[in-house]
Coordinates of all heavy atoms in Angstrom, one line a residue:
Q1130 N 6.5 -11.5 0.4 CA 7.9 -11.7 0.9 C 8.7 -10.8 -0.1 O 8.6 -10.9 -1.4 CB 8.3 -13.1 0.7 CG 9.6 -13.4 1.3 CD 9.7 -13.4 2.9 OE1 8.8 -13.7 3.5 NE2 10.9 -13.1 3.3
L1131 N 9.5 -9.9 0.5 CA 10.5 -9.1 -0.2 C 11.8 -9.7 -0.4 O 12.2 -10.7 0.3 CB 10.7 -7.7 0.5 CG 9.3 -7.0 0.7 CD1 9.6 -5.7 1.5 CD2 8.6 -6.5 -0.6
G1132 N 12.6 -9.3 -1.3 CA 13.9 -9.9 -1.6 C 15.0 -9.7 -0.5 O 15.9 -10.6 -0.3
G1133 N 14.8 -8.7 0.5 CA 15.8 -8.6 1.5 C 15.2 -7.5 2.5 O 14.1 -7.0 2.3
S1134 N 15.8 -7.5 3.7 CA 15.4 -6.7 4.7 C 16.1 -5.2 4.6 O 17.4 -5.1 4.7 CB 15.7 -7.1 6.1 OG 14.9 -8.3 6.3
R1135 N 15.3 -4.3 4.2 CA 15.8 -2.8 4.2 C 14.7 -1.8 4.6 O 13.5 -2.2 4.6 CB 16.2 -2.5 2.7 CG 17.3 -3.4 2.2 CD 18.5 -2.8 1.4 NE 18.5 -1.5 1.2 CZ 18.7 -0.8 0.1 NH1 18.6 -1.4 -1.0 NH2 18.7 0.4 0.0
P1136 N 15.0 -0.7 5.0 CA 14.0 0.3 5.3 C 13.2 0.7 4.0 O 13.8 0.7 2.9 CB 14.7 1.5 5.8 CG 16.1 1.0 6.2 CD 16.4 -0.2 5.3
I1137 N 12.0 0.9 4.1 CA 11.1 1.2 3.0 C 11.0 2.8 2.8 O 10.6 3.4 3.8 CB 9.7 0.6 3.1 CG1 9.9 -1.0 3.1 CG2 8.8 1.0 2.0 CD1 8.7 -1.8 3.3
H1138 N 11.2 3.2 1.7 CA 11.3 4.7 1.4 C 10.0 5.2 0.8 O 9.4 6.2 1.1 CB 12.4 5.0 0.4 CG 12.6 6.4 0.2 ND1 12.0 7.0 -1.1 CD2 13.1 7.5 0.8 CE1 12.3 8.2 -1.1 NE2 13.0 8.6 0.0
S1139 N 9.4 4.4 -0.1 CA 8.1 4.8 -0.7 C 7.4 3.6 -1.4 O 8.1 2.6 -1.6 CB 8.4 6.0 -1.8 OG 9.2 5.4 -2.8
L1140 N 6.2 3.8 -1.7 CA 5.3 2.7 -2.4 C 4.6 3.3 -3.7 O 4.2 4.5 -3.5 CB 4.3 2.2 -1.5 CG 4.7 1.6 -0.1 CD1 3.4 1.4 0.8 CD2 5.4 0.3 -0.3
H1141 N 4.5 2.6 -4.7 CA 3.6 3.0 -5.8 C 2.6 1.8 -5.9 O 3.0 0.7 -5.9 CB 4.5 3.1 -7.1 CG 5.5 4.1 -7.2 ND1 6.3 4.3 -8.2 CD2 5.8 5.0 -6.3 CE1 7.1 5.3 -8.0 NE2 6.8 5.8 -6.8
I1142 N 1.4 2.2 -5.9 CA 0.3 1.3 -5.8 C -0.6 1.5 -7.1 O -1.1 2.5 -7.2 CB -0.5 1.3 -4.5 CG1 0.4 0.9 -3.4 CG2 -1.6 0.3 -4.6 CD1 -0.2 1.1 -2.0
G1143 N -0.8 0.4 -7.8 CA -1.6 0.4 -9.0 C -2.9 -0.1 -8.6 O -3.0 -1.4 -8.4
N1144 N -4.0 0.6 -8.6 CA -5.3 0.1 -8.2 C -6.1 -0.6 -9.2 O -5.8 -0.4 -10.4 CB -6.1 1.4 -7.7 CG -7.4 1.0 -7.0 OD1 -7.5 -0.1 -6.5 ND2 -8.4 1.9 -7.0
D1145 N -6.9 -1.5 -8.9 CA -7.8 -2.2 -9.8 C -9.2 -2.3 -9.1 O -9.7 -3.4 -8.9 CB -7.3 -3.4 -10.3 CG -8.1 -4.1 -11.5 OD1 -8.9 -3.4 -12.0 OD2 -7.8 -5.2 -11.9
G1146 N -9.8 -1.1 -8.8 CA -11.2 -1.2 -8.2 C -11.3 -1.1 -6.8 O -12.4 -1.0 -6.2
A1147 N -10.2 -1.1 -6.0 CA -10.3 -1.0 -4.5 C -10.5 0.5 -4.0 O -10.0 1.4 -4.7 CB -9.1 -1.6 -3.9
A1148 N -11.3 0.7 -3.0 CA -11.6 2.0 -2.5 C -10.5 2.4 -1.5 O -10.1 3.6 -1.5 CB -12.9 2.1 -1.9
F1149 N -10.0 1.4 -0.7 CA -9.0 1.8 0.3 C -7.8 0.8 0.4 O -8.1 -0.4 0.0 CB -9.7 1.8 1.7 CG -10.7 2.8 1.9 CD1 -12.0 2.4 1.8 CD2 -10.4 4.2 2.1 CE1 -13.0 3.4 1.9 CE2 -11.4 5.1 2.3 CZ -12.7 4.7 2.2
V1150 N -6.8 1.2 0.7 CA -5.6 0.3 0.9 C -4.9 0.6 2.2 O -4.9 1.8 2.7 CB -4.6 0.4 -0.3 CG1 -3.9 1.8 -0.3 CG2 -3.5 -0.6 -0.1
E1151 N -4.4 -0.4 2.9 CA -3.5 -0.2 4.1 C -2.4 -1.2 3.9 O -2.6 -2.4 3.4 CB -4.3 -0.6 5.4 CG -3.6 -0.4 6.6 CD -4.4 -0.8 7.9 OE1 -5.3 -1.7 7.8 OE2 -4.2 -0.1 8.9
V1152 N -1.2 -0.8 4.3 CA 0.0 -1.7 4.1 C 0.7 -1.8 5.5 O 0.9 -0.7 6.1 CB 1.0 -1.0 3.1 CG1 2.2 -1.9 3.0 CG2 0.3 -0.9 1.7
L1153 N 0.9 -3.0 5.9 CA 1.6 -3.4 7.1 C 2.9 -4.1 6.7 O 3.0 -4.6 5.6 CB 0.7 -4.3 7.8 CG -0.6 -3.7 8.3 CD1 -1.7 -4.3 7.5 CD2 -0.9 -4.1 9.8
V1154 N 3.9 -3.9 7.6 CA 5.2 -4.6 7.3 C 5.4 -5.5 8.5 O 5.0 -5.3 9.6 CB 6.3 -3.5 7.2 CG1 6.2 -2.8 6.0 CG2 6.3 -2.5 8.4
G1155 N 6.3 -6.5 8.2 CA 6.6 -7.5 9.2 C 8.0 -8.1 8.9 O 8.6 -7.9 7.8
S1156 N 8.5 -8.9 9.7 CA 9.8 -9.6 9.5 C 9.6 -11.1 9.5 O 8.9 -11.6 10.4 CB 10.7 -9.1 10.7 OG 11.9 -9.9 10.6
S1157 N 10.3 -11.8 8.7 CA 10.3 -13.2 8.7 C 10.9 -13.8 10.0 O 10.7 -15.0 10.4 CB 11.0 -13.8 7.5 OG 12.3 -13.3 7.5
A1158 N 11.6 -13.0 10.8 CA 12.3 -13.4 12.0 C 11.2 -13.4 13.2 O 11.4 -14.0 14.1 CB 13.3 -12.4 12.6
G1159 N 10.1 -13.0 12.9 CA 8.9 -13.0 13.8 C 8.4 -11.6 14.2 O 8.9 -10.6 13.8
G1160 N 7.4 -11.6 15.2 CA 6.8 -10.5 15.6 C 5.6 -10.0 14.9 O 5.3 -10.6 13.9
D1161 N 4.9 -9.0 15.5 CA 3.6 -8.5 14.8 C 3.9 -7.7 13.6 O 4.9 -7.0 13.5 CB 2.9 -7.9 15.9 CG 2.3 -8.7 17.0 OD1 2.2 -10.0 16.8 OD2 2.1 -8.2 18.1
F1162 N 3.0 -7.6 12.7 CA 2.9 -6.7 11.7 C 2.7 -5.2 12.2 O 1.9 -5.1 13.2 CB 2.0 -7.0 10.6 CG 2.4 -8.1 9.6 CD1 2.3 -9.4 10.0 CD2 3.0 -7.8 8.5 CE1 2.7 -10.4 9.1 CE2 3.3 -8.8 7.6 CZ 3.2 -10.2 7.9
Q1163 N 3.4 -4.3 11.6 CA 3.1 -2.9 12.0 C 2.6 -2.1 10.8 O 2.9 -2.4 9.7 CB 4.4 -2.3 12.5 CG 4.9 -2.9 13.7 CD 6.3 -2.3 14.1 OE1 6.5 -1.0 14.0 NE2 7.2 -3.0 14.8
V1164 N 1.8 -1.1 11.1 CA 1.2 -0.3 10.0 C 2.2 0.6 9.4 O 2.9 1.5 10.1 CB 0.1 0.6 10.5 CG1 -0.5 1.5 9.5 CG2 -1.1 -0.3 11.0
L1165 N 2.5 0.4 8.1 CA 3.4 1.3 7.4 C 2.7 2.4 6.7 O 3.1 3.6 6.7 CB 4.2 0.5 6.3 CG 5.1 1.3 5.4 CD1 6.3 1.9 6.2 CD2 5.6 0.4 4.3
L1166 N 1.6 2.1 6.0 CA 0.7 3.0 5.4 C -0.7 2.9 6.0 O -1.3 1.9 5.7 CB 0.7 2.8 3.8 CG -0.2 3.7 3.1 CD1 0.2 5.1 3.0 CD2 -0.4 3.2 1.6
P1167 N -1.2 3.9 6.7 CA -2.5 3.9 7.3 C -3.5 3.8 6.1 O -3.2 4.2 5.0 CB -2.6 5.1 8.2 CG -1.2 5.7 8.3 CD -0.4 5.1 7.2
S1168 N -4.7 3.4 6.4 CA -5.6 3.3 5.4 C -5.8 4.6 4.6 O -5.9 5.8 5.1 CB -7.1 3.1 6.0 OG -8.1 2.8 5.0
A1169 N -5.6 4.4 3.3 CA -5.6 5.6 2.2 C -6.6 5.3 1.2 O -6.8 4.2 0.8 CB -4.2 5.7 1.7
A1170 N -7.4 6.4 0.8 CA -8.3 6.2 -0.3 C -7.7 6.1 -1.6 O -6.8 6.9 -2.0 CB -9.3 7.4 -0.2
L1171 N -8.1 5.1 -2.4 CA -7.7 5.0 -3.8 C -8.8 5.5 -4.7 O -8.6 5.8 -5.9 CB -7.3 3.5 -4.0 CG -6.2 3.0 -3.3 CD1 -6.2 1.5 -3.6 CD2 -4.9 3.6 -3.6
M1172 N -10.0 5.5 -4.2 CA -11.2 6.0 -5.0 C -12.2 6.7 -4.1 O -12.3 6.3 -3.0 CB -12.0 4.8 -5.7 CG -11.2 4.1 -6.7 SD -12.1 2.6 -7.3 CE -13.2 3.4 -8.4
S1173 N -12.9 7.7 -4.6 CA -13.9 8.3 -3.8 C -15.2 7.5 -3.7 O -15.3 6.5 -4.6 CB -14.2 9.7 -4.3 OG -15.0 9.5 -5.5
P1174 N -16.0 7.7 -2.8 CA -17.3 6.9 -2.8 C -18.1 6.9 -4.1 O -18.5 5.9 -4.5 CB -18.1 7.4 -1.6 CG -17.0 8.1 -0.7 CD -16.0 8.6 -1.6
S1175 N -18.2 8.1 -4.7 CA -18.9 8.2 -5.9 C -18.3 7.5 -7.1 O -18.9 6.8 -7.9 CB -19.2 9.7 -6.3 OG -18.0 10.4 -6.4
E1176 N -17.0 7.6 -7.2 CA -16.2 6.8 -8.2 C -16.4 5.3 -7.9 O -16.5 4.5 -8.9 CB -14.7 7.2 -8.1 CG -14.3 8.6 -8.6 CD -12.9 8.9 -8.3 OE1 -12.4 8.4 -7.4 OE2 -12.4 9.8 -9.1
S1177 N -16.4 4.9 -6.7 CA -16.5 3.5 -6.4 C -17.9 2.9 -6.8 O -18.0 1.9 -7.4 CB -16.4 3.2 -4.8 OG -15.1 3.5 -4.5
R1178 N -19.0 3.7 -6.5 CA -20.3 3.3 -6.9 C -20.6 3.2 -8.3 O -21.1 2.3 -8.9 CB -21.3 4.2 -6.2 CG -21.4 4.0 -4.8 CD -22.6 4.9 -4.1 NE -22.4 4.9 -2.7 CZ -21.9 5.8 -1.9 NH1 -21.3 6.8 -2.5 NH2 -21.8 5.7 -0.6
A1179 N -19.9 4.2 -9.2 CA -20.0 4.4 -10.5 C -19.1 3.4 -11.3 O -19.2 3.2 -12.5 CB -19.9 5.8 -11.0
G1180 N -18.0 2.9 -10.6 CA -17.0 2.2 -11.4 C -16.2 3.1 -12.2 O -15.5 2.6 -13.1
A1181 N -16.1 4.3 -11.9 CA -15.3 5.3 -12.7 C -13.9 5.3 -12.3 O -13.5 5.3 -11.1 CB -15.9 6.7 -12.5
E1182 N -13.0 5.2 -13.3 CA -11.6 5.3 -13.2 C -11.1 4.3 -12.1 O -10.4 4.7 -11.2 CB -11.1 6.7 -12.8 CG -11.4 7.7 -14.0 CD -10.7 9.0 -13.7 OE1 -9.5 9.0 -13.3 OE2 -11.3 10.0 -13.8
P1183 N -11.4 3.0 -12.2 CA -10.9 2.0 -11.3 C -9.4 1.8 -11.3 O -8.8 1.2 -10.3 CB -11.7 0.8 -11.6 CG -11.9 0.8 -13.0 CD -12.0 2.3 -13.3
R1184 N -8.7 2.1 -12.4 CA -7.3 1.8 -12.5 C -6.5 3.1 -12.6 O -6.4 3.7 -13.6 CB -7.1 1.0 -13.9 CG -7.6 -0.4 -13.7 CD -7.5 -1.2 -15.1 NE -8.2 -2.4 -14.9 CZ -9.4 -2.6 -15.4 NH1 -10.1 -1.5 -15.9 NH2 -10.0 -3.7 -15.3
R1185 N -6.0 3.6 -11.5 CA -5.0 4.6 -11.4 C -3.9 4.2 -10.5 O -4.0 3.4 -9.7 CB -5.8 5.9 -11.0 CG -6.4 5.8 -9.6 CD -6.9 7.1 -9.0 NE -8.0 7.6 -10.0 CZ -9.0 8.2 -9.5 NH1 -9.2 8.4 -8.2 NH2 -10.0 8.6 -10.3
V1186 N -2.9 5.0 -10.5 CA -1.7 4.8 -9.7 C -1.6 5.8 -8.6 O -1.7 7.0 -8.9 CB -0.4 4.8 -10.5 CG1 0.9 4.5 -9.7 CG2 -0.5 3.7 -11.5
R1187 N -1.4 5.4 -7.4 CA -1.0 6.3 -6.3 C 0.3 6.2 -5.9 O 0.9 5.0 -5.6 CB -2.0 6.1 -5.1 CG -3.4 6.4 -5.2 CD -3.8 7.9 -4.9 NE -3.1 8.5 -3.8 CZ -3.7 8.7 -2.7 NH1 -4.9 8.2 -2.4 NH2 -3.1 9.3 -1.8
L1188 N 1.0 7.3 -5.6 CA 2.4 7.3 -5.1 C 2.4 7.7 -3.6 O 1.9 8.8 -3.3 CB 3.2 8.2 -6.0 CG 3.1 8.1 -7.5 CD1 4.1 9.1 -8.1 CD2 3.5 6.7 -7.9
F1189 N 3.0 6.9 -2.9 CA 3.1 7.2 -1.4 C 4.6 7.4 -1.1 O 5.4 6.4 -1.0 CB 2.4 6.2 -0.5 CG 1.0 6.0 -0.8 CD1 0.6 5.0 -1.7 CD2 0.0 6.8 -0.2 CE1 -0.8 4.8 -2.0 CE2 -1.2 6.6 -0.5 CZ -1.7 5.6 -1.3
G1190 N 5.0 8.7 -0.8 CA 6.3 8.9 -0.4 C 6.6 8.8 1.0 O 5.6 8.4 1.8
P1191 N 7.8 9.3 1.5 CA 8.2 9.2 2.9 C 7.2 9.9 3.7 O 7.0 9.5 5.0 CB 9.5 9.8 2.9 CG 10.1 9.7 1.6 CD 8.9 9.8 0.6
G1192 N 6.6 11.0 3.4 CA 5.6 11.8 4.1 C 4.3 11.1 4.4 O 3.6 11.4 5.4
S1193 N 4.0 10.0 3.6 CA 2.8 9.3 3.8 C 2.9 8.2 4.6 O 1.9 7.6 5.1 CB 2.3 8.8 2.4 OG 2.1 9.8 1.6
L1194 N 4.2 7.7 4.9 CA 4.4 6.4 5.6 C 4.6 6.8 7.1 O 5.1 7.9 7.4 CB 5.6 5.8 5.0 CG 5.6 5.5 3.5 CD1 7.0 4.9 3.2 CD2 4.4 4.6 3.2
V1195 N 4.3 5.9 8.0 CA 4.5 6.1 9.4 C 6.0 5.9 9.7 O 6.7 5.0 9.3 CB 3.7 4.9 10.2 CG1 4.0 5.1 11.6 CG2 2.2 5.0 9.9
K1196 N 6.5 7.0 10.3 CA 8.0 7.1 10.5 C 8.7 6.0 11.1 O 9.6 5.4 10.7 CB 8.3 8.5 11.2 CG 8.0 9.7 10.4 CD 8.5 10.9 10.9 CE 8.1 12.1 10.3 NZ 7.9 12.1 8.9
G1197 N 8.1 5.4 12.3 CA 8.8 4.3 13.0 C 9.0 3.1 12.1 O 10.1 2.7 11.9
P1198 N 7.8 2.6 11.6 CA 8.0 1.4 10.8 C 8.8 1.7 9.5 O 9.4 0.8 9.0 CB 6.6 1.1 10.5 CG 5.8 1.5 11.6 CD 6.5 2.8 12.0
A1199 N 8.7 2.9 8.9 CA 9.4 3.1 7.7 C 11.0 3.1 7.9 O 11.7 2.9 7.0 CB 9.0 4.5 7.2
Q1200 N 11.4 3.4 9.1 CA 12.8 3.4 9.3 C 13.4 2.0 9.8 O 14.6 1.8 9.7 CB 13.1 4.4 10.5 CG 12.9 5.8 10.0 CD 13.0 6.8 11.2 OE1 13.0 6.5 12.3 NE2 12.9 8.1 10.8
G1201 N 12.5 1.1 10.0 CA 12.9 -0.3 10.4 C 13.2 -1.1 9.2 O 13.1 -0.6 8.0
T1202 N 13.7 -2.2 9.4 CA 14.1 -3.2 8.2 C 13.0 -4.3 8.2 O 12.8 -5.0 9.3 CB 15.5 -3.7 8.3 OG1 15.6 -4.4 9.5 CG2 16.5 -2.6 8.3
W1203 N 12.4 -4.5 7.0 CA 11.4 -5.4 6.9 C 11.6 -6.3 5.6 O 12.1 -5.8 4.7 CB 10.0 -4.7 6.8 CG 9.8 -3.7 7.8 CD1 10.1 -2.3 7.6 CD2 9.6 -3.8 9.1 NE1 9.9 -1.7 8.9 CE2 9.5 -2.7 9.8 CE3 9.2 -5.1 9.9 CZ2 9.2 -2.5 11.2 CZ3 9.0 -5.0 11.3 CH2 8.9 -3.6 11.8
D1204 N 11.1 -7.5 5.6 CA 11.1 -8.3 4.4 C 9.7 -8.9 4.1 O 9.6 -9.8 3.1 CB 12.1 -9.4 4.6 CG 11.9 -10.4 5.7 OD1 10.8 -10.2 6.5 OD2 12.7 -11.3 5.9
R1205 N 8.6 -8.5 4.7 CA 7.3 -8.9 4.5 C 6.3 -7.8 4.4 O 6.4 -6.8 5.2 CB 6.8 -9.9 5.5 CG 7.5 -11.2 5.4 CD 6.8 -12.2 6.4 NE 7.5 -13.5 6.2 CZ 7.3 -14.6 6.9 NH1 6.3 -14.5 7.8 NH2 7.9 -15.7 6.6
L1206 N 5.3 -7.9 3.5 CA 4.3 -6.9 3.4 C 3.0 -7.6 3.5 O 2.8 -8.7 3.1 CB 4.3 -6.2 2.1 CG 5.4 -5.2 1.7 CD1 5.1 -4.7 0.3 CD2 5.4 -4.1 2.7
R1207 N 2.0 -7.0 4.2 CA 0.7 -7.5 4.1 C -0.2 -6.2 3.7 O -0.2 -5.2 4.2 CB 0.2 -7.8 5.6 CG -1.3 -8.2 5.6 CD -1.7 -8.7 7.0 NE -1.0 -9.9 7.2 CZ -0.9 -10.4 8.5 NH1 -1.5 -9.8 9.5 NH2 -0.3 -11.6 8.8
V1208 N -0.9 -6.4 2.5 CA -1.7 -5.4 1.9 C -3.2 -5.8 2.2 O -3.7 -6.8 1.9 CB -1.5 -5.4 0.4 CG1 -2.3 -4.3 -0.2 CG2 0.1 -5.2 0.1
V1209 N -3.9 -4.7 2.8 CA -5.2 -5.0 3.1 C -6.2 -4.0 2.2 O -5.9 -2.8 2.3 CB -5.6 -4.6 4.6 CG1 -7.0 -4.8 4.9 CG2 -4.7 -5.4 5.5
L1210 N -7.0 -4.6 1.4 CA -7.8 -3.8 0.5 C -9.3 -3.8 1.0 O -9.7 -4.9 1.5 CB -7.7 -4.3 -0.9 CG -6.4 -4.3 -1.5 CD1 -6.5 -5.0 -2.9 CD2 -5.8 -3.0 -1.7
S1211 N -10.0 -2.7 0.6 CA -11.5 -2.9 0.9 C -12.2 -2.1 -0.1 O -11.7 -1.1 -0.8 CB -11.8 -2.4 2.3 OG -11.5 -1.0 2.5
Q1212 N -13.5 -2.4 -0.4 CA -14.3 -1.7 -1.3 C -15.8 -1.8 -0.7 O -16.6 -2.6 -1.0 CB -14.3 -2.4 -2.7 CG -15.3 -1.7 -3.8 CD -15.2 -0.3 -3.9 OE1 -15.8 0.4 -3.1 NE2 -14.4 0.3 -4.8
P1213 N -16.1 -0.9 0.3 CA -17.4 -1.0 1.0 C -18.5 -0.4 0.1 O -19.6 -0.6 0.5 CB -17.1 -0.3 2.2 CG -16.0 0.8 1.9 CD -15.1 0.0 0.9
Y1214 N -18.2 0.3 -1.0 CA -19.2 1.1 -1.6 C -19.9 0.3 -2.8 O -20.9 0.6 -3.2 CB -18.7 2.5 -2.2 CG -18.0 3.2 -1.2 CD1 -16.6 3.4 -1.1 CD2 -18.8 3.7 -0.1 CE1 -16.0 4.1 -0.1 CE2 -18.2 4.5 0.9 CZ -16.8 4.6 0.9 OH -16.3 5.4 1.9
C1215 N -19.2 -0.7 -3.3 CA -19.8 -1.5 -4.4 C -19.3 -2.8 -4.3 O -18.2 -3.2 -4.6 CB -19.3 -0.9 -5.8 SG -20.0 -1.8 -7.2
Q1216 N -20.1 -3.7 -3.8 CA -19.7 -5.1 -3.5 C -20.0 -6.0 -4.7 O -19.7 -7.3 -4.5 CB -20.3 -5.6 -2.2 CG -19.8 -4.8 -1.0 CD -20.4 -5.1 0.3 OE1 -21.2 -6.0 0.3 NE2 -20.0 -4.4 1.3
S1217 N -20.5 -5.5 -5.8 CA -20.9 -6.5 -6.9 C -19.8 -6.6 -7.8 O -19.8 -7.5 -8.7 CB -22.1 -5.9 -7.6 OG -21.9 -4.6 -8.1
R1218 N -18.7 -5.7 -7.8 CA -17.6 -5.8 -8.8 C -16.3 -6.4 -7.9 O -16.1 -6.0 -6.9 CB -17.2 -4.4 -9.2 CG -18.3 -3.9 -10.2 CD -17.6 -2.6 -10.9 NE -18.7 -1.8 -11.3 CZ -19.3 -0.8 -10.6 NH1 -18.7 -0.4 -9.5 NH2 -20.2 -0.1 -11.2
P1219 N -15.6 -7.1 -8.7 CA -14.3 -7.6 -8.1 C -13.3 -6.4 -8.0 O -13.4 -5.5 -8.8 CB -13.8 -8.8 -9.1 CG -14.5 -8.4 -10.3 CD -15.8 -7.7 -10.0
Y1220 N -12.4 -6.5 -7.0 CA -11.4 -5.5 -6.9 C -10.2 -6.1 -6.4 O -10.1 -7.2 -6.0 CB -11.8 -4.4 -6.0 CG -12.1 -4.9 -4.5 CD1 -11.1 -4.8 -3.6 CD2 -13.3 -5.4 -4.1 CE1 -11.3 -5.4 -2.3 CE2 -13.6 -5.9 -2.8 CZ -12.5 -5.9 -1.9 OH -12.7 -6.4 -0.7
G1221 N -9.1 -5.3 -6.6 CA -7.7 -5.7 -6.3 C -6.7 -4.7 -6.6 O -7.0 -3.4 -6.7
L1222 N -5.4 -5.1 -6.8 CA -4.4 -4.2 -7.2 C -3.8 -4.8 -8.4 O -3.8 -6.1 -8.7 CB -3.2 -4.2 -6.2 CG -3.5 -3.6 -4.8 CD1 -2.3 -3.6 -4.0 CD2 -4.1 -2.2 -4.9
S1223 N -3.4 -3.9 -9.4 CA -2.6 -4.4 -10.6 C -1.1 -4.5 -10.3 O -0.5 -5.4 -10.8 CB -2.9 -3.4 -11.8 OG -2.5 -2.2 -11.4
F1224 N -0.7 -3.7 -9.3 CA 0.8 -3.9 -9.0 C 1.0 -3.1 -7.6 O 0.3 -2.2 -7.3 CB 1.8 -3.5 -10.0 CG 1.7 -2.0 -10.2 CD1 2.6 -1.2 -9.6 CD2 0.9 -1.4 -11.3 CE1 2.5 0.2 -9.8 CE2 1.0 0.0 -11.5 CZ 1.7 0.8 -10.7
I1225 N 2.1 -3.4 -7.0 CA 2.7 -2.7 -5.9 C 4.1 -2.7 -6.2 O 4.8 -3.7 -6.2 CB 2.2 -3.2 -4.6 CG1 2.7 -2.3 -3.5 CG2 2.6 -4.7 -4.3 CD1 2.1 -2.4 -2.1
R1226 N 4.8 -1.5 -6.1 CA 6.2 -1.4 -6.1 C 6.7 -0.8 -4.8 O 6.2 0.2 -4.4 CB 6.6 -0.5 -7.3 CG 6.2 -1.1 -8.6 CD 6.7 -0.3 -9.8 NE 8.0 -1.0 -10.1 CZ 8.8 -0.5 -11.0 NH1 8.6 0.6 -11.5 NH2 10.0 -1.1 -11.3
V1227 N 7.8 -1.5 -4.2 CA 8.3 -1.0 -3.0 C 9.7 -0.6 -3.2 O 10.5 -1.2 -3.9 CB 8.3 -2.2 -2.0 CG1 8.9 -1.8 -0.6 CG2 6.9 -2.8 -1.8
F1228 N 9.9 0.6 -2.8 CA 11.3 1.2 -3.0 C 12.0 1.4 -1.7 O 11.5 1.9 -0.7 CB 11.1 2.7 -3.5 CG 10.6 2.6 -5.0 CD1 9.2 2.7 -5.2 CD2 11.4 2.5 -6.1 CE1 8.7 2.7 -6.5 CE2 10.9 2.4 -7.4 CZ 9.6 2.5 -7.6
A1229 N 13.1 0.8 -1.6 CA 14.1 0.9 -0.4 C 14.6 2.3 -0.2 O 14.7 3.0 -1.2 CB 15.2 -0.2 -0.5
A1230 N 15.0 2.6 0.9 CA 15.5 3.8 1.3 C 17.0 3.8 0.6 O 17.6 2.9 0.5 CB 15.7 4.0 2.8
P1231 N 17.4 5.0 0.2 CA 18.7 5.1 -0.5 C 19.8 4.7 0.4 O 19.8 5.0 1.7 CB 18.8 6.6 -0.9 CG 17.4 7.1 -0.8 CD 16.6 6.3 0.2
E1232 N 20.8 4.0 0.0 CA 21.9 3.6 0.7 C 22.8 4.8 1.1 O 23.0 5.6 0.2 CB 22.8 2.6 0.0 CG 22.0 1.4 -0.3 CD 22.6 0.1 0.3 OE1 23.7 0.2 1.0 OE2 22.0 -0.8 0.1
E1233 N 23.2 4.9 2.3 CA 24.1 6.0 2.8 C 25.6 5.6 2.5 O 25.9 4.5 2.5 CB 23.9 6.3 4.3 CG 22.5 6.8 4.7 CD 22.3 7.1 6.0 OE1 23.3 7.4 6.8 OE2 21.2 7.1 6.5
D1234 N 26.3 6.6 2.3 CA 27.7 6.4 2.0 C 28.4 6.0 3.3 O 28.1 6.4 4.3 CB 28.4 7.6 1.4 CG 27.9 7.9 0.0 OD1 27.3 7.0 -0.6 OD2 28.0 9.1 -0.5

């Protein structure tokens, strides 16, 4: 749950061993979640298998986000992580920062 409903401008995602991330947005008023960030790689298959560099930060700007949902106003996020290459290690995120679109004058 986000603090308020505003268009989303960019995301900073701190990985902790996940291979892929997908971010969906929704509204507490109801309706289905929509894809904001299509599935994006956080680690390569070889890095995933070796456990190499599991903690890095990826920045997703306006060019990475789906335009329609990015322009809507949302107050909920659903983050979907996967790690199909190494199922013996736990994985997750260390943080996710959501930046609202700049306010227009």
